[in-house]
Amino acid sequence: MKYFSKTLVLFTALALALILPPSGIAQPTPVTIGLLQNDPGTFDGYVLLAPAVYPTAYLINTEGQIVHLWENLVVPRHSTYLREDGLLLRATIGGLEFGMNGGGAGGRIQLLEWDGTVVWDYLHADTLFR
């Protein structure tokens, strides 16, 4: 039994030595922001990025550069589109004045101009629904 116990400890120590990096040696930091890959066959166009928990929408090119951004005080929901006429169509949280927030909150659709001005705002929420 002692032999088995010593073997198990030795095997565990060896496994940890192979898995864990040696202390004192600097490990490369993984890249987590910016352009990570740009293949030669990538479609030449733009990407509209509108994070669901952040009130700014970004238009970026294939080089990862911000071409334009729309800032607003209201966070969007999971639908944001850039129309051919340059207007940004987005679903947002509506009904905050009625105390509706959290999971599933929505109820407002907006059109924003290139400069961020809201040119159309439709609220479809009240005290009974959102």
Side-chain angles (χ1 to χ4, degrees), residues 4-109:
F4 177 74
S5 178
K6 287 180 183 179
T7 305
L8 182 61
V9 169
L10 181 60
F11 178 74
T12 303
L14 180 59
L16 286 174
L18 292 174
I19 294 171
L20 298 176
S23 60
I25 298 176
Q27 298 299 314
T29 304
V31 177
T32 58
I33 60 172
L35 182 64
L36 302 181
Q37 182 174 343
N38 186 0
D39 292 330
T42 302
F43 176 75
D44 188 26
Y46 300 94
V47 174
L48 179 63
L49 178 64
V53 295
Y54 194 68
T56 304
Y58 302 92
L59 186 64
I60 60 174
N61 64 18
T62 55
E63 298 295 320
Q65 299 164 333
I66 296 174
V67 175
H68 188 73
L69 58 89
W70 292 264
E71 294 183 291
N72 199 291
L73 298 176
V74 182
V75 295
R77 281 308 181 213
H78 302 289
S79 298
T80 302
Y81 302 95
L82 182 58
R83 298 181 356 164
E84 288 184 20
D85 61 3
L87 295 176
L88 190 74
L89 174 67
R90 65 188 209 133
T92 68
I93 295 175
L96 291 177
E97 59 271 21
F98 308 118
M100 296 192 180
N101 197 359
R108 172 171 268 144
I109 301 172

